[in-house]
């Protein structure tokens, strides 16, 4: 009887999954049928020549952005999550609210900022490039910083408090942070690294805006040129394999982390005493996120002309 009830309860879920995945199943099936009749389509799977260069561009951008976001996330998150006071709460709230801002708004703001800076420096013959890898890296990093910092903060909040308190009896604060807190928070930090990597490597809008060619745009361009979805399916295989691998690795251990009982118990982990050099790195990371907020809000005010 219970088995029948469970099967009946699962019917809506199966219907939903059918409608969600049916287009994908059809697309994959159609691509397989086409490759049977035309094996030359398998050439799209191998990124050779120009496509190899585009894949390297995508990997370079996604890797540098994800590592930068994760490092800043760990440093700024470890500062913000344990600090109390109105100023720190304002910083945390204001910065995390920028997670709602889509990347193309960041692109609009930073394009305007670079253009204005170049106008100011025009008299001395200095200018910053508004195209290529550098500006693409800057915009993507600023756009995904809230995700990296936010997930890092959650990771630190989920650290088991008793384990840290016990370790502090035998080691100095910095060793406890490195040997205990970071390993316990690492699943969430690794998830942030993976999510940002996947978001960047699969997006072509920001790099294309700055004339930086990436592999994801090649997939879109091929479909526009051939009007054959199967071409895009086989062309996307390298990205599918890379993102699947990154997703599997980054989500490893995440289930045990989110089941932690230490949520909102980070108060007992205040009053860390870190070396001066590490405190400076934390403050530098916090400065980066403050710059992100100030430039984003200020840039939007300049672009729109009024509050």
């Amino acid at each position: 009887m219970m088995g029948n009830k469970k099967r009946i309860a699962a019917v809506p879920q199966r219907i939903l999954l059918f409608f969600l995945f049916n287009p994908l199943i059809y697309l994959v099936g159609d691509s397989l049928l086409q490759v049977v009749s035309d094996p030359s389509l398998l050439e799209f799977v191998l990124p050779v020549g120009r496509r190899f260069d585009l894949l390297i561009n995508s990997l370079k951008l996604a890797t540098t952005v994800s590592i930068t976001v994760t490092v800043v996330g760990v440093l700024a998150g470890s500062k913000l999550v344990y600090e109390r006071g109105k100023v720190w709460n304002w910083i945390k709230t204001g910065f995390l609210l920028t997670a709602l801002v889509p990347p193309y708004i960041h692109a609009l703001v930073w394009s305007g900022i670079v253009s204005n800076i170049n106008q100011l420096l025009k008299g001395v013959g200095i200018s910053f490039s508004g195209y290529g890898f550098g500006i693409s890296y800057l915009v993507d990093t600023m756009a995904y910083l809230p995700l990296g910092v936010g997930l890092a903060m959650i990771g630190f909040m989920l650290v088991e408090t008793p384990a840290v308190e016990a370790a502090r009896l035998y080691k100095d604060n910095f060793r406890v942070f490195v040997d205990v807190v970071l390993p316990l928070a690492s699943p969430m930090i690794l998830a942030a690294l993976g999510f940002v990597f996947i978001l960047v490597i699969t997006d072509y809008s920001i790099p294309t805006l700055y004339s930086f060619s990436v592999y994801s745009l090649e997939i879109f361009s091929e479909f526009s040129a051939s009007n054959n979805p199967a071409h895009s399916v086989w062309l996307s295989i390298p990205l599918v394999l890379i993102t699947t691998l990154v997703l599997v690795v980054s989500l490893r251990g995440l289930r045990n982390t989110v089941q932690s009982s230490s949520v909102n118990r980070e108060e007992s982990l205040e009053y860390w005493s870190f070396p001066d050099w590490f405190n400076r790195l934390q403050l530098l990371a916090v400065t980066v996120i403050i710059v992100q907020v100030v430039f984003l809000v200020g840039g939007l005010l300049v672009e729109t002309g009024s509050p």
Side-chain angles (χ1 to χ4, degrees), residues 72-262:
V72 175
V74 169
L75 292 172
S78 62
K79 186 70 173 176
L80 295 176
V81 77
Y82 300 127
E83 291 291 345
R84 297 294 178 267
K86 288 185 178 181
V87 174
W88 290 106
N89 288 335
W90 290 341
I91 294 174
K92 282 184 278 190
T93 303
F95 174 67
L96 292 178
L97 281 176
T98 63
L100 303 174
V101 180
Y104 66 85
I105 297 296
H106 287 271
L108 171 68
V109 169
W110 285 99
S111 295
I113 290 173
V114 170
S115 177
N116 291 331
I117 291 176
N118 285 337
Q119 286 295 324
L120 294 174
L121 297 176
K122 189 176 181 180
V124 294
I126 301 174
S127 64
F128 294 98
S129 174
Y131 300 95
F133 171 81
I135 187 69
S136 301
Y137 163 79
L138 174 64
V139 171
D140 274 334
T141 298
M142 291 301 176
Y144 295 118
L145 265 182
L147 176 61
V149 175
L151 288 179
M153 290 176 65
I154 293 173
F156 291 129
M157 291 170 63
L158 292 173
V159 170
E160 293 289 345
T161 305
V164 179
E165 292 176 334
R168 292 176 92 172
L169 297 175
Y170 302 98
K171 297 181 179 181
D172 64 81
N173 284 185
F174 184 68
R175 295 312 310 172
V176 172
F177 181 77
V178 173
D179 296 340
V180 179
V181 175
L182 276 182
L184 291 176
S186 61
M188 195 64 72
I189 295 170
L190 190 61
L193 177 71
F195 289 157
V196 173
F197 180 93
I198 291 172
L199 288 171
V200 174
I201 201 171
T202 55
D203 174 56
Y204 61 83
S205 59
I206 300 301
T208 302
L209 181 63
Y210 298 114
S211 302
F212 185 70
S213 300
V214 291
Y215 194 86
S216 54
L217 178 63
E218 184 73 3
I219 299 172
F220 179 79
S221 300
E222 176 58 35
F223 174 74
S224 300
S226 65
N227 199 30
N228 188 339
H231 290 189
S232 296
V233 169
W234 293 111
L235 193 61
S236 67
I237 293 299
L239 278 191
V240 171
L241 294 177
I242 291 171
T243 53
T244 300
L245 177 62
V246 171
L247 189 63
V248 170
V249 173
S250 62
L251 294 183
R252 183 182 301 174
L254 193 59
R255 178 177 305 215
N256 293 333
T257 300
V258 298
Q259 292 176 348
S260 169
S261 59
S262 291

